[in-house]
Short mmCIF file of all heavy atoms in Angstrom, two decimals:
data_model
loop_
_atom_site.label_atom_id
_atom_site.label_comp_id
_atom_site.label_asym_id
_atom_site.label_seq_id
_atom_site.Cartn_x
_atom_site.Cartn_y
_atom_site.Cartn_z
N MET B 1 10.64 22.45 -12.60
CA MET B 1 11.36 21.48 -13.36
C MET B 1 10.76 21.64 -14.89
O MET B 1 9.57 21.53 -15.10
CB MET B 1 10.98 20.08 -12.85
CG MET B 1 11.45 18.88 -13.61
SD MET B 1 13.30 18.50 -13.73
CE MET B 1 13.74 18.51 -11.96
N THR B 2 11.69 21.95 -15.76
CA THR B 2 11.21 22.03 -17.11
C THR B 2 11.25 20.62 -17.87
O THR B 2 11.83 19.67 -17.43
CB THR B 2 12.30 22.86 -17.90
OG1 THR B 2 13.51 22.32 -17.97
CG2 THR B 2 12.43 24.31 -17.19
N ASP B 3 10.55 20.66 -19.01
CA ASP B 3 10.63 19.42 -19.84
C ASP B 3 12.10 19.06 -20.17
O ASP B 3 12.29 17.89 -20.26
CB ASP B 3 9.72 19.64 -21.09
CG ASP B 3 8.34 19.77 -20.86
OD1 ASP B 3 7.79 19.35 -19.80
OD2 ASP B 3 7.60 20.09 -21.67
N ASN B 4 12.78 20.05 -20.47
CA ASN B 4 14.30 19.79 -20.88
C ASN B 4 14.98 19.12 -19.78
O ASN B 4 15.75 18.13 -19.98
CB ASN B 4 14.96 21.01 -21.32
CG ASN B 4 16.27 20.80 -21.99
OD1 ASN B 4 16.47 19.87 -22.79
ND2 ASN B 4 17.25 21.63 -21.65
N GLU B 5 14.69 19.55 -18.51
CA GLU B 5 15.40 18.96 -17.41
C GLU B 5 14.95 17.44 -17.20
O GLU B 5 15.72 16.69 -16.80
CB GLU B 5 15.18 19.78 -16.16
CG GLU B 5 15.90 21.05 -16.18
CD GLU B 5 15.43 22.03 -14.96
OE1 GLU B 5 14.20 22.06 -14.64
OE2 GLU B 5 16.31 22.69 -14.33
N LEU B 6 13.66 17.24 -17.35
CA LEU B 6 13.19 15.89 -17.28
C LEU B 6 13.79 14.99 -18.32
O LEU B 6 14.12 13.79 -18.12
CB LEU B 6 11.63 15.90 -17.36
CG LEU B 6 10.89 16.24 -16.21
CD1 LEU B 6 9.37 16.25 -16.55
CD2 LEU B 6 11.12 15.33 -14.98
N THR B 7 13.90 15.54 -19.49
CA THR B 7 14.56 14.73 -20.59
C THR B 7 15.96 14.46 -20.28
O THR B 7 16.44 13.34 -20.54
CB THR B 7 14.47 15.53 -21.95
OG1 THR B 7 13.14 15.80 -22.31
CG2 THR B 7 15.06 14.86 -23.06
N LEU B 8 16.66 15.45 -19.87
CA LEU B 8 18.09 15.22 -19.45
C LEU B 8 18.24 14.14 -18.28
O LEU B 8 19.15 13.29 -18.40
CB LEU B 8 18.70 16.49 -18.94
CG LEU B 8 19.00 17.52 -20.03
CD1 LEU B 8 19.55 18.96 -19.50
CD2 LEU B 8 20.00 17.07 -21.06
N ASN B 9 17.26 14.06 -17.43
CA ASN B 9 17.22 13.03 -16.31
C ASN B 9 17.01 11.80 -16.94
O ASN B 9 17.69 10.76 -16.60
CB ASN B 9 16.18 13.49 -15.35
CG ASN B 9 16.16 12.50 -14.09
OD1 ASN B 9 16.06 11.31 -14.16
ND2 ASN B 9 16.42 13.15 -12.92
N ALA B 10 16.15 11.64 -17.88
CA ALA B 10 15.85 10.26 -18.57
C ALA B 10 17.04 9.84 -19.33
O ALA B 10 17.38 8.68 -19.33
CB ALA B 10 14.67 10.51 -19.43
N VAL B 11 17.74 10.77 -20.04
CA VAL B 11 18.91 10.41 -20.82
C VAL B 11 19.95 9.96 -19.89
O VAL B 11 20.75 9.01 -20.28
CB VAL B 11 19.43 11.59 -21.77
CG1 VAL B 11 20.68 11.34 -22.27
CG2 VAL B 11 18.30 11.80 -22.78
N GLU B 12 20.17 10.64 -18.71
CA GLU B 12 21.26 10.21 -17.81
C GLU B 12 21.01 8.80 -17.27
O GLU B 12 22.00 7.93 -17.22
CB GLU B 12 21.37 11.22 -16.67
CG GLU B 12 22.35 10.88 -15.66
CD GLU B 12 22.43 11.93 -14.53
OE1 GLU B 12 22.34 13.12 -14.94
OE2 GLU B 12 22.51 11.55 -13.44
N VAL B 13 19.80 8.55 -16.85
CA VAL B 13 19.46 7.20 -16.21
C VAL B 13 19.45 6.14 -17.32
O VAL B 13 19.71 4.82 -17.02
CB VAL B 13 18.19 7.18 -15.51
CG1 VAL B 13 16.97 7.16 -16.41
CG2 VAL B 13 18.17 5.97 -14.52
N MET B 14 19.26 6.45 -18.68
CA MET B 14 19.30 5.52 -19.71
C MET B 14 20.60 4.76 -19.79
O MET B 14 20.67 3.55 -20.04
CB MET B 14 19.08 6.26 -20.93
CG MET B 14 19.02 5.43 -22.24
SD MET B 14 18.77 6.39 -23.73
CE MET B 14 20.21 7.38 -23.85
N ASN B 15 21.67 5.37 -19.40
CA ASN B 15 23.07 4.71 -19.27
C ASN B 15 23.08 3.62 -18.33
O ASN B 15 23.95 2.76 -18.45
CB ASN B 15 24.11 5.80 -19.04
CG ASN B 15 24.19 6.86 -20.03
OD1 ASN B 15 24.24 6.48 -21.24
ND2 ASN B 15 24.38 8.05 -19.72
N ASN B 16 22.21 3.53 -17.42
CA ASN B 16 22.03 2.42 -16.39
C ASN B 16 21.26 1.20 -16.89
O ASN B 16 21.15 0.17 -16.23
CB ASN B 16 21.55 2.82 -15.07
CG ASN B 16 22.44 4.03 -14.46
OD1 ASN B 16 23.61 3.98 -14.68
ND2 ASN B 16 21.75 4.93 -13.77
N ALA B 17 20.54 1.36 -18.05
CA ALA B 17 19.81 0.22 -18.56
C ALA B 17 20.58 -0.99 -18.88
O ALA B 17 21.71 -1.00 -19.10
CB ALA B 17 19.16 0.61 -19.98
N TYR B 18 19.90 -2.00 -18.63
CA TYR B 18 20.47 -3.51 -18.83
C TYR B 18 19.78 -4.05 -20.02
O TYR B 18 18.68 -4.44 -19.95
CB TYR B 18 20.33 -4.35 -17.61
CG TYR B 18 20.92 -5.76 -17.74
CD1 TYR B 18 22.16 -5.95 -17.82
CD2 TYR B 18 20.08 -6.75 -17.96
CE1 TYR B 18 22.71 -7.13 -17.96
CE2 TYR B 18 20.51 -8.09 -18.13
CZ TYR B 18 21.89 -8.25 -18.12
OH TYR B 18 22.36 -9.53 -18.34
N ALA B 19 20.36 -3.92 -21.18
CA ALA B 19 19.81 -4.41 -22.51
C ALA B 19 20.80 -5.12 -23.23
O ALA B 19 21.04 -4.62 -24.43
CB ALA B 19 19.21 -3.09 -23.18
N PRO B 20 21.22 -6.29 -22.79
CA PRO B 20 22.29 -7.03 -23.58
C PRO B 20 21.60 -7.72 -24.77
O PRO B 20 22.37 -8.06 -25.68
CB PRO B 20 22.78 -8.04 -22.62
CG PRO B 20 21.59 -8.29 -21.65
CD PRO B 20 20.94 -6.93 -21.55
N TYR B 21 20.38 -7.91 -24.95
CA TYR B 21 19.70 -8.64 -25.99
C TYR B 21 19.40 -7.65 -27.18
O TYR B 21 19.70 -7.97 -28.30
CB TYR B 21 18.61 -9.44 -25.48
CG TYR B 21 18.88 -10.29 -24.36
CD1 TYR B 21 18.57 -9.94 -23.09
CD2 TYR B 21 19.71 -11.46 -24.46
CE1 TYR B 21 19.01 -10.70 -21.91
CE2 TYR B 21 20.14 -12.25 -23.41
CZ TYR B 21 19.71 -11.90 -22.14
OH TYR B 21 20.16 -12.69 -21.06
N SER B 22 18.77 -6.61 -26.87
CA SER B 22 18.31 -5.72 -27.95
C SER B 22 19.34 -4.58 -28.13
O SER B 22 19.33 -3.96 -29.16
CB SER B 22 16.94 -5.08 -27.53
OG SER B 22 17.08 -4.22 -26.52
N ASP B 23 20.09 -4.30 -27.12
CA ASP B 23 21.04 -3.18 -27.09
C ASP B 23 20.32 -1.81 -27.34
O ASP B 23 20.69 -0.88 -27.85
CB ASP B 23 22.14 -3.34 -28.23
CG ASP B 23 23.37 -2.42 -27.84
OD1 ASP B 23 23.62 -2.19 -26.67
OD2 ASP B 23 23.94 -1.95 -28.85
N PHE B 24 19.06 -1.90 -26.87
CA PHE B 24 18.16 -0.64 -27.02
C PHE B 24 17.89 -0.17 -25.63
O PHE B 24 17.03 -0.56 -24.90
CB PHE B 24 16.82 -1.00 -27.69
CG PHE B 24 16.03 0.12 -28.00
CD1 PHE B 24 16.44 1.01 -29.22
CD2 PHE B 24 14.94 0.52 -27.33
CE1 PHE B 24 15.55 2.15 -29.44
CE2 PHE B 24 14.20 1.53 -27.67
CZ PHE B 24 14.46 2.47 -28.72
N LYS B 25 18.72 0.90 -25.22
CA LYS B 25 18.54 1.38 -23.82
C LYS B 25 17.45 2.49 -23.81
O LYS B 25 17.51 3.36 -24.64
CB LYS B 25 19.90 1.88 -23.40
CG LYS B 25 20.96 0.77 -23.25
CD LYS B 25 22.23 1.19 -22.75
CE LYS B 25 23.25 0.12 -22.53
NZ LYS B 25 24.36 0.40 -21.84
N VAL B 26 16.76 2.54 -22.73
CA VAL B 26 15.59 3.48 -22.52
C VAL B 26 15.72 4.01 -21.20
O VAL B 26 16.02 3.25 -20.23
CB VAL B 26 14.31 2.86 -22.81
CG1 VAL B 26 13.14 3.81 -22.62
CG2 VAL B 26 14.29 2.07 -24.13
N GLY B 27 15.46 5.32 -20.99
CA GLY B 27 15.32 5.94 -19.75
C GLY B 27 13.96 6.69 -19.81
O GLY B 27 13.44 7.15 -20.73
N ALA B 28 13.56 6.84 -18.46
CA ALA B 28 12.28 7.63 -18.27
C ALA B 28 12.36 8.38 -17.00
O ALA B 28 13.08 8.04 -16.03
CB ALA B 28 11.10 6.62 -18.25
N ALA B 29 11.70 9.55 -17.00
CA ALA B 29 11.69 10.40 -15.72
C ALA B 29 10.17 10.89 -15.61
O ALA B 29 9.55 11.24 -16.60
CB ALA B 29 12.58 11.57 -15.93
N LEU B 30 9.73 10.80 -14.37
CA LEU B 30 8.44 11.40 -14.21
C LEU B 30 8.44 12.42 -13.07
O LEU B 30 9.29 12.28 -12.15
CB LEU B 30 7.43 10.29 -13.79
CG LEU B 30 7.55 9.29 -12.63
CD1 LEU B 30 6.93 9.91 -11.51
CD2 LEU B 30 7.02 8.01 -12.94
N LEU B 31 7.61 13.32 -13.15
CA LEU B 31 7.46 14.42 -12.21
C LEU B 31 6.19 14.29 -11.38
O LEU B 31 5.11 14.24 -11.98
CB LEU B 31 7.48 15.76 -12.93
CG LEU B 31 7.32 17.11 -12.18
CD1 LEU B 31 8.50 17.26 -11.16
CD2 LEU B 31 7.32 18.29 -13.08
N THR B 32 6.23 14.22 -10.01
CA THR B 32 5.03 14.15 -9.25
C THR B 32 4.42 15.39 -9.00
O THR B 32 5.11 16.46 -9.18
CB THR B 32 5.43 13.43 -7.92
OG1 THR B 32 6.29 14.25 -7.14
CG2 THR B 32 5.98 12.02 -8.15
N ASN B 33 3.23 15.57 -8.43
CA ASN B 33 2.51 16.72 -8.11
C ASN B 33 3.26 17.60 -7.13
O ASN B 33 3.15 18.70 -7.13
CB ASN B 33 1.19 16.38 -7.66
CG ASN B 33 0.16 15.91 -8.71
OD1 ASN B 33 0.46 16.21 -9.95
ND2 ASN B 33 -0.80 15.15 -8.34
N ASP B 34 4.06 16.89 -6.30
CA ASP B 34 4.74 17.67 -5.25
C ASP B 34 6.14 18.01 -5.65
O ASP B 34 6.94 18.49 -4.91
CB ASP B 34 4.78 16.83 -3.94
CG ASP B 34 5.49 15.48 -3.98
OD1 ASP B 34 6.10 15.22 -5.07
OD2 ASP B 34 5.59 14.92 -3.02
N GLY B 35 6.42 17.89 -6.97
CA GLY B 35 7.74 18.34 -7.61
C GLY B 35 8.88 17.39 -7.47
O GLY B 35 9.96 17.79 -7.98
N ARG B 36 8.67 16.19 -6.91
CA ARG B 36 9.77 15.21 -6.97
C ARG B 36 9.88 14.50 -8.35
O ARG B 36 8.87 14.42 -9.12
CB ARG B 36 9.63 14.19 -5.94
CG ARG B 36 9.68 14.77 -4.42
CD ARG B 36 9.50 13.75 -3.46
NE ARG B 36 8.27 13.05 -3.45
CZ ARG B 36 8.03 11.91 -2.83
NH1 ARG B 36 8.91 11.32 -2.06
NH2 ARG B 36 6.78 11.38 -2.77
N VAL B 37 11.13 14.21 -8.65
CA VAL B 37 11.38 13.43 -9.93
C VAL B 37 11.86 11.95 -9.66
O VAL B 37 12.74 11.87 -8.82
CB VAL B 37 12.44 14.19 -10.76
CG1 VAL B 37 12.79 13.47 -12.04
CG2 VAL B 37 11.96 15.60 -11.19
N PHE B 38 11.29 11.04 -10.39
CA PHE B 38 11.62 9.70 -10.31
C PHE B 38 12.01 9.18 -11.62
O PHE B 38 11.36 9.52 -12.63
CB PHE B 38 10.61 8.90 -9.63
CG PHE B 38 10.20 9.27 -8.21
CD1 PHE B 38 9.25 10.17 -7.91
CD2 PHE B 38 11.00 8.71 -7.10
CE1 PHE B 38 8.94 10.54 -6.68
CE2 PHE B 38 10.64 9.09 -5.85
CZ PHE B 38 9.74 9.92 -5.62
N SER B 39 13.10 8.42 -11.69
CA SER B 39 13.55 7.93 -13.10
C SER B 39 13.65 6.45 -13.02
O SER B 39 13.70 5.80 -11.87
CB SER B 39 14.90 8.61 -13.38
OG SER B 39 15.89 8.40 -12.29
N GLY B 40 13.79 5.85 -14.19
CA GLY B 40 13.98 4.42 -14.31
C GLY B 40 14.48 4.11 -15.66
O GLY B 40 14.45 4.88 -16.62
N CYS B 41 15.02 2.95 -15.77
CA CYS B 41 15.56 2.49 -17.11
C CYS B 41 15.02 1.04 -17.39
O CYS B 41 14.58 0.45 -16.46
CB CYS B 41 17.04 2.47 -17.02
SG CYS B 41 17.84 1.40 -15.70
N ASN B 42 15.12 0.68 -18.62
CA ASN B 42 14.63 -0.71 -19.03
C ASN B 42 15.62 -1.74 -18.40
O ASN B 42 16.80 -1.52 -18.38
CB ASN B 42 14.34 -0.91 -20.45
CG ASN B 42 15.62 -0.63 -21.34
OD1 ASN B 42 16.41 0.20 -21.08
ND2 ASN B 42 15.61 -1.37 -22.38
N ILE B 43 15.04 -2.97 -18.13
CA ILE B 43 15.87 -4.14 -17.68
C ILE B 43 15.43 -5.32 -18.41
O ILE B 43 14.28 -5.76 -18.22
CB ILE B 43 15.56 -4.31 -16.11
CG1 ILE B 43 15.99 -2.99 -15.34
CG2 ILE B 43 16.52 -5.45 -15.63
CD1 ILE B 43 15.55 -2.99 -13.95
N GLU B 44 16.32 -5.90 -19.22
CA GLU B 44 15.91 -7.07 -19.98
C GLU B 44 16.20 -8.28 -19.37
O GLU B 44 16.99 -8.31 -18.39
CB GLU B 44 16.64 -6.98 -21.40
CG GLU B 44 16.24 -5.85 -22.25
CD GLU B 44 16.81 -5.89 -23.65
OE1 GLU B 44 17.87 -6.64 -23.82
OE2 GLU B 44 16.52 -5.17 -24.50
N ASN B 45 15.54 -9.40 -19.79
CA ASN B 45 15.72 -10.72 -19.29
C ASN B 45 15.78 -11.65 -20.47
O ASN B 45 15.04 -11.36 -21.44
CB ASN B 45 14.52 -11.01 -18.25
CG ASN B 45 14.79 -12.24 -17.45
OD1 ASN B 45 14.91 -13.33 -18.15
ND2 ASN B 45 14.86 -12.15 -16.19
N ALA B 46 16.46 -12.69 -20.19
CA ALA B 46 16.60 -13.69 -21.44
C ALA B 46 15.16 -14.18 -21.73
O ALA B 46 14.87 -14.52 -22.84
CB ALA B 46 17.41 -14.83 -21.07
N ALA B 47 14.25 -14.28 -20.79
CA ALA B 47 12.93 -14.64 -20.98
C ALA B 47 12.11 -13.39 -21.28
O ALA B 47 11.82 -12.59 -20.45
CB ALA B 47 12.27 -15.27 -19.71
N TYR B 48 11.94 -13.13 -22.61
CA TYR B 48 11.63 -11.75 -23.05
C TYR B 48 10.42 -11.12 -22.27
O TYR B 48 10.51 -9.95 -21.92
CB TYR B 48 11.24 -11.89 -24.61
CG TYR B 48 10.62 -10.65 -25.20
CD1 TYR B 48 11.51 -9.56 -25.40
CD2 TYR B 48 9.38 -10.52 -25.43
CE1 TYR B 48 11.04 -8.44 -25.90
CE2 TYR B 48 8.82 -9.26 -25.98
CZ TYR B 48 9.72 -8.19 -26.19
OH TYR B 48 9.22 -7.01 -26.64
N PRO B 49 9.35 -11.87 -22.02
CA PRO B 49 8.26 -11.16 -21.29
C PRO B 49 8.58 -10.67 -19.85
O PRO B 49 7.79 -9.90 -19.31
CB PRO B 49 7.09 -12.09 -21.28
CG PRO B 49 7.45 -13.15 -22.22
CD PRO B 49 9.01 -13.25 -22.31
N ALA B 50 9.68 -11.22 -19.41
CA ALA B 50 9.89 -10.90 -18.01
C ALA B 50 10.81 -9.51 -17.83
O ALA B 50 11.05 -9.10 -16.68
CB ALA B 50 10.83 -12.05 -17.32
N GLY B 51 11.11 -8.85 -18.97
CA GLY B 51 11.78 -7.62 -18.80
C GLY B 51 10.81 -6.58 -18.32
O GLY B 51 9.67 -6.67 -18.19
N ILE B 52 11.51 -5.53 -17.92
CA ILE B 52 10.77 -4.40 -17.34
C ILE B 52 11.12 -3.11 -18.18
O ILE B 52 12.23 -2.79 -18.33
CB ILE B 52 11.12 -4.09 -15.91
CG1 ILE B 52 10.98 -5.35 -15.07
CG2 ILE B 52 10.40 -3.02 -15.25
CD1 ILE B 52 11.53 -5.30 -13.65
N CYS B 53 10.07 -2.33 -18.52
CA CYS B 53 10.27 -1.07 -19.31
C CYS B 53 10.66 0.02 -18.34
O CYS B 53 10.40 -0.03 -17.13
CB CYS B 53 9.03 -0.75 -20.11
SG CYS B 53 7.62 -0.25 -19.06
N ALA B 54 11.22 0.98 -18.87
CA ALA B 54 11.81 2.14 -18.09
C ALA B 54 10.56 2.87 -17.37
O ALA B 54 10.84 3.26 -16.17
CB ALA B 54 12.44 3.15 -19.06
N GLU B 55 9.53 2.95 -18.05
CA GLU B 55 8.40 3.73 -17.35
C GLU B 55 7.86 2.94 -16.13
O GLU B 55 7.65 3.66 -15.05
CB GLU B 55 7.25 3.79 -18.35
CG GLU B 55 7.56 4.68 -19.52
CD GLU B 55 8.27 3.90 -20.66
OE1 GLU B 55 8.55 2.84 -20.58
OE2 GLU B 55 8.65 4.63 -21.71
N ARG B 56 7.79 1.73 -16.26
CA ARG B 56 7.38 0.80 -15.12
C ARG B 56 8.38 0.95 -13.96
O ARG B 56 8.01 0.93 -12.71
CB ARG B 56 7.14 -0.58 -15.45
CG ARG B 56 5.90 -0.85 -16.34
CD ARG B 56 5.75 -2.31 -16.64
NE ARG B 56 5.50 -3.22 -15.62
CZ ARG B 56 5.50 -4.49 -15.65
NH1 ARG B 56 5.72 -5.05 -16.80
NH2 ARG B 56 5.26 -5.19 -14.66
N THR B 57 9.61 0.96 -14.33
CA THR B 57 10.67 1.07 -13.29
C THR B 57 10.59 2.43 -12.56
O THR B 57 10.74 2.54 -11.36
CB THR B 57 12.11 0.96 -13.95
OG1 THR B 57 12.25 -0.25 -14.62
CG2 THR B 57 13.10 1.04 -12.87
N ALA B 58 10.45 3.56 -13.38
CA ALA B 58 10.19 4.86 -12.71
C ALA B 58 8.97 4.91 -11.84
O ALA B 58 9.04 5.38 -10.76
CB ALA B 58 10.02 6.00 -13.79
N ILE B 59 7.88 4.30 -12.23
CA ILE B 59 6.70 4.30 -11.33
C ILE B 59 7.05 3.48 -10.14
O ILE B 59 6.56 3.84 -9.01
CB ILE B 59 5.58 3.75 -12.16
CG1 ILE B 59 5.03 4.78 -13.33
CG2 ILE B 59 4.27 3.38 -11.31
CD1 ILE B 59 4.13 4.22 -14.24
N GLY B 60 7.57 2.36 -10.27
CA GLY B 60 8.02 1.55 -9.12
C GLY B 60 8.91 2.23 -8.09
O GLY B 60 8.72 2.17 -6.98
N ASN B 61 9.79 3.03 -8.62
CA ASN B 61 10.68 3.82 -7.79
C ASN B 61 9.82 4.93 -7.01
O ASN B 61 10.08 5.19 -5.86
CB ASN B 61 11.78 4.52 -8.55
CG ASN B 61 12.89 3.59 -9.05
OD1 ASN B 61 13.03 2.53 -8.46
ND2 ASN B 61 13.55 3.89 -10.10
N ALA B 62 8.92 5.53 -7.72
CA ALA B 62 8.12 6.56 -7.03
C ALA B 62 7.24 5.87 -5.94
O ALA B 62 7.17 6.39 -4.86
CB ALA B 62 7.19 7.21 -8.05
N ILE B 63 6.61 4.70 -6.19
CA ILE B 63 5.81 4.08 -5.27
C ILE B 63 6.69 3.60 -3.98
O ILE B 63 6.31 3.81 -2.92
CB ILE B 63 5.08 2.90 -5.86
CG1 ILE B 63 4.04 3.35 -6.81
CG2 ILE B 63 4.42 1.91 -4.69
CD1 ILE B 63 3.42 2.28 -7.74
N SER B 64 7.86 3.08 -4.30
CA SER B 64 8.76 2.61 -3.28
C SER B 64 9.16 3.79 -2.30
O SER B 64 9.46 3.63 -1.16
CB SER B 64 10.04 2.05 -3.83
OG SER B 64 9.76 0.82 -4.55
N ALA B 65 9.31 5.02 -2.88
CA ALA B 65 9.70 6.15 -2.11
C ALA B 65 8.58 6.89 -1.33
O ALA B 65 8.79 7.70 -0.52
CB ALA B 65 10.37 7.14 -2.99
N GLY B 66 7.42 6.30 -1.51
CA GLY B 66 6.21 6.75 -0.79
C GLY B 66 5.49 7.83 -1.48
O GLY B 66 4.82 8.64 -0.92
#
């Protein structure tokens, strides 16, 4: 997996972001030691601190997948 492929993955998942307040969509992709890729996008909430950044979503996806 190249850096460019990871970037493309992050850009693709960025389109799934839920950012109605800032309209600032973010995507993230991470590569694990065993070669798997996990991605995530930001999720905003009207209560500002309750939003989730793209990086945390990607890490949560990786943990959920074992």
Side-chain angles (χ1 to χ4, degrees):
M1 173 75 48
T2 66
D3 289 348
N4 191 41
E5 290 170 320
L6 281 175
T7 300
L8 290 174
N9 188 297
V11 169
E12 183 178 313
V13 76
M14 180 176 70
N15 294 319
N16 297 332
Y18 180 72
Y21 306 103
S22 70
D23 199 35
F24 190 77
K25 296 183 175 191
V26 180
L30 60 90
L31 177 64
T32 62
N33 288 336
D34 63 3
R36 295 186 293 168
V37 176
F38 294 94
S39 57
C41 58
N42 60 320
I43 305 166
E44 291 182 350
N45 188 300
Y48 177 71
I52 303 171
C53 69
E55 296 82 1
R56 287 177 65 187
T57 305
I59 292 167
N61 286 337
I63 292 169
S64 295

